[in-house]
Amino acid sequence: MKMVVAAFTLATLAACQDDETARAYGAADHVWTLTEINGTRFPAKATLIFPETGKIAGKAPCNSYTAPMSAPYPWFDAQQIASTKMACPDLQSEGEFFAALSKASISEVSGDTLILSNPDGLSMVFKASD
């Protein structure tokens, strides 16, 4: 019986833990619009949101997407991106966006700026928009 109570207590504590992702550190409640990748202006429109604990979503240049997000801040891990499959003239920009997003491993939220980066030199700059 003690083991069942202990397991229940641990499960309850895990369920009550606060969000430790970028969402909890200033990224929530914003629509983040990509402005540049690696210092070059991004030629299309792509957004990123943190709609709920454990998830990111947004609109790439052609398609909507979603992915799980459980990496604790400042880490970022968008490896399992699912998207719709519509074609449009910006498919090349969309491919660049998804490739960069899946390589990002570090997030930094500072006011109205979100930067996703990695140790290999990737830099994605997003600005908060309403």
Side-chain angles (χ1 to χ4, degrees), residues 32-79:
W32 298 97
T33 301
L34 181 63
T35 59
E36 64 183 64
I37 296 178
N38 297 330
T40 302
R41 187 186 71 76
F42 191 65
K45 183 171 182 182
T47 64
L48 170 65
I49 61 171
F50 295 80
E52 62 189 63
T53 301
K55 186 183 223 181
I56 61 169
K59 179 86 172 77
C62 300
N63 293 284
S64 297
Y65 69 92
T66 186
M69 179 55 54
S70 60
Y73 187 79
W75 308 115
F76 186 88
D77 183 15
Q79 295 298 314

Side-chain angles (χ1 to χ4, degrees), residues 50-105:
F50 295 80
E52 62 189 63
T53 301
K55 186 183 223 181
I56 61 169
K59 179 86 172 77
C62 300
N63 293 284
S64 297
Y65 69 92
T66 186
M69 179 55 54
S70 60
Y73 187 79
W75 308 115
F76 186 88
D77 183 15
Q79 295 298 314
Q80 299 171 0
I81 301 170
S83 71
T84 56
K85 302 292 181 195
M86 297 186 308
C88 82
D90 287 327
L91 278 177
Q92 182 174 347
S93 294
E94 180 161 301
E96 181 183 0
F97 171 70
F98 282 142
L101 191 64
S102 67
K103 291 177 184 172
S105 60

